[in-house]
Amino acid sequence: MARQIMHIDLDAFFVSVEQALNPELRGKPVVVGGKPDRRGVVASASYEARRFGLHAGMPLTTAYRLCPQAIFIEGSFSKYRDASQRFMTILADFSPYLEPLSLDEAYLDVTGFESIYGSIHQMAVALKQRIKNELGLCASIGIASCKVVAKIASELSKPDGLLEVAGGNESAFLAPLPIAKLPGVGRKTERVLGSLGIDTIGKLSITPLATLKSHFGVSGEILHRFASGIDDRIVEPPGAAKSISRETTFGKDTRDRSWLKATLRYLGERVGSELRQRGKQARCVTLKLRYADFTTITRSYTLSQASHTDQTLFDTGTKLLRKELAQGKQPVRLVGIGVSNLVEPGRQLDMLDTSAQRLEQLNRAIDRIRRKYGFTAIQTGRTLPLKDIFPSTDDGYTLHTPSLSR
Ligand code: TTP
Ligand code: MG
């Protein structure tokens, strides 16, 4: 079933909270950030102030020069935090699949909710209405089949907007937009794309992948996917993925290292694919072993650089395994591998060397094949021993005990 995702962002958030509390400020150019003689910058500008060219990040002195009649407010964070909490509580009333992104912004997975509200559009209308009634704030909402399109839609619809991009229309919707509208395209990327003659998302989407990869490494692939309206990141409630792990108990206790490694590799690939699916990288890898006498140990290793490749998980897992088995304990009953300390991918443009890029591309390619043809459609040499032992389904091997996850 096609997904339905909403991106909700409050309009001129800090300013609007002030205006909701103080009617005198309504309909006027208002700036939150501080008095104009201060060295700070504009945190939020009302839409009336934006008509004078004011925007977030602008020095207050410049803002004053452009619009001396604006009302400049210091602002107080506790008010905004309270409003944010009430905002998120309202969203959670509409769908439990809520992923807050910042104080005034969240994704909501509303797939299937049309049966309750008549349509997703009507659901969004009801949501905006409640935010207006209870908080006195305006929300802009984008609705689409994936996060990136929903986010762009909500921004385009501002202020007080509601924009739905019908499934199938994603690329047509994105095509005419300037590339700067694409999340992840900062000034630097925009400049490089500009030098290649790419100024719209449409042009970006028809640029050969190889060209983008040669300039941006793996980020080039993400740019390309986003530009085509392809984004399979899920809406992830906070805390849902503090860690990801897979473990299994053997049919018979074992000391066989190649067998242990094959299982570790397989479980690591399961963890890796979920990690990439969630769009995260891990800083910590943990090996779990249970011995024949049920003693259970975990050993963790913190990576110097967060990663989400199967290779890193396996290399780190086997390093921990080798160290542990060197102690010559009993046969192993259970093996597991997990990742924690999950982070958003870093600024990859700066950091990636070519071998890391190749690995990452390989992982993406494997993920694509597996999404299409099933998990065991493609296998690494390491996991081959499992092939003769376990039956496989589209979802992977049926291990002796299910590979538990959290
Ligand atoms: P935004 O949603 O980016 O901005 P906004 O809500 O003021 O305006 P709109 O969404 O209608 O374009 O950020 C939300 C709040 O975060 C904003 O009200 C103030 C704060 N903020 C800063 O403190 N500094 C900044 O540079 C930005 C962009 C936002
Ligand atoms: Mg906002």
Side-chain angles (χ1 to χ4, degrees), residues 68-81:
Q69 69 273 41
I71 302 166
F72 290 82
I73 303 173
E74 200 74 52
S76 84
F77 192 73
S78 60
K79 284 186 216 162
Y80 313 140
R81 197 188 42 220

Side-chain angles (χ1 to χ4, degrees), residues 292-313:
D293 71 350
F294 279 83
T295 335
T296 307
I297 61 107
T298 58
R299 297 285 179 262
S300 294
Y301 184 87
T302 300
L303 303 167
S304 58
Q305 181 108 59
S307 170
H308 58 188
T309 63
D310 294 342
Q311 195 63 36
T312 308
L313 298 191

Side-chain angles (χ1 to χ4, degrees), residues 9-10 104 158:
D9 189 296
L10 298 173
D104 80 327
K158 276 176 176 290

